[in-house]
Amino acid sequence: MPALPLVLWLIALVCCVTVIVMVLKTDTRRSHAGHPTDSASATSVASAASAAKTASDGVVASGDTVAAGEGESTDPRPVSKTVIILHFVSLILAMAPYIVATEAADSIGKTMLSWYDSVEGISGAILIVLIALELWFMYRQASRAAKAEAARAKLAGHKNLEHANQSAQTGKDNTGKHDDDAISAANSGNDRK
């Protein structure tokens, strides 16, 4: 029982670091996979650049491309539910050692209790910094995913607008042709009389 707060603190530390590594791994894979040194990646970057030119104001999140043929989306994904759940677990685990140390102070020896008291400020600061880093990295990934989604929606909107304009133009051409056919048919009927 005397080492329980220390064990809980170490578990919280591992959990915080795991969340940060999971977010960075996803984020790094997304941002560096489209590096133009790879020929497939260069093609992906070039296609993203040409797509940016076709959009009216060229909103494309830079560095968010992934090499073509990898079977992955070219845009970053939002923060996964697993990472969000693990973040809340790390937050709860970060509070647990201090609650346990306070509640079990009677069963912890004086030497160990005085050691816990001497390191609680530093250990708390470490966990607070790690949780803040978790939040920052998760926000960064979510922000990049939202920008990419907005750019993708804007590009799709432009394509839909072009398609609608083409359809409207084709419809006008067909309508004019049918009107001309009806007029010529009517005129040919008048000539017979």
Side-chain angles (χ1 to χ4, degrees):
M1 183 76 164
L4 185 59
L6 178 61
V7 170
L8 289 173
W9 187 85
L10 290 173
I11 292 171
L13 181 74
V14 168
C15 194
C16 288
V17 171
T18 302
V19 170
I20 292 171
V21 167
M22 287 175 73
V23 173
L24 284 177
K25 182 179 176 186
T26 302
D27 197 36
T28 303
R29 182 172 21 127
R30 297 284 179 211
S31 64
H32 295 299
H35 196 274
T37 57
D38 179 26
S39 63
S41 297
T43 305
S44 175
V45 171
S47 67
S50 66
K53 289 179 183 177
T54 60
S56 66
D57 63 11
V59 176
V60 171
S62 63
D64 290 341
T65 59
V66 173
E70 289 183 6
E72 295 183 8
S73 171
T74 58
D75 296 327
R77 292 180 294 201
V79 178
S80 70
K81 291 179 183 178
T82 305
V83 171
I84 294 170
I85 291 169
L86 198 54
H87 167 69
F88 283 110
V89 168
S90 69
L91 186 63
I92 292 168
L93 284 174
M95 294 183 286
Y98 306 102
I99 295 170
V100 169
T102 303
E103 293 298 320
D106 296 337
S107 63
I108 299 174
K110 289 187 180 201
T111 311
M112 193 68 153
L113 191 58
S114 67
W115 183 77
Y116 283 146
D117 288 339
S118 68
V119 296
E120 74 182 355
I122 294 169
S123 64
I126 290 170
L127 289 177
I128 288 171
V129 167
L130 286 175
I131 289 172
L133 282 173
E134 286 178 19
L135 290 171
W136 185 74
F137 285 123
M138 289 182 348
Y139 169 77
R140 191 177 120 198
Q141 182 180 352
S143 176
R144 291 179 68 207
K147 286 178 185 176
E149 178 67 26
R152 190 171 47 248
K154 190 170 194 172
L155 186 61
H158 288 298
K159 286 181 181 179
N160 287 340
L161 182 62
E162 287 177 12
H163 180 68
N165 288 340
Q166 288 174 352
S167 296
Q169 185 64 30
T170 304
K172 286 180 184 175
D173 292 342
N174 289 340
T175 303
K177 183 179 178 184
H178 292 300
D179 289 345
D180 291 341
D181 290 343
I183 291 171
S184 65
N187 287 337
S188 68
N190 288 338
D191 292 337
R192 289 183 192 160
K193 290 182 183 180

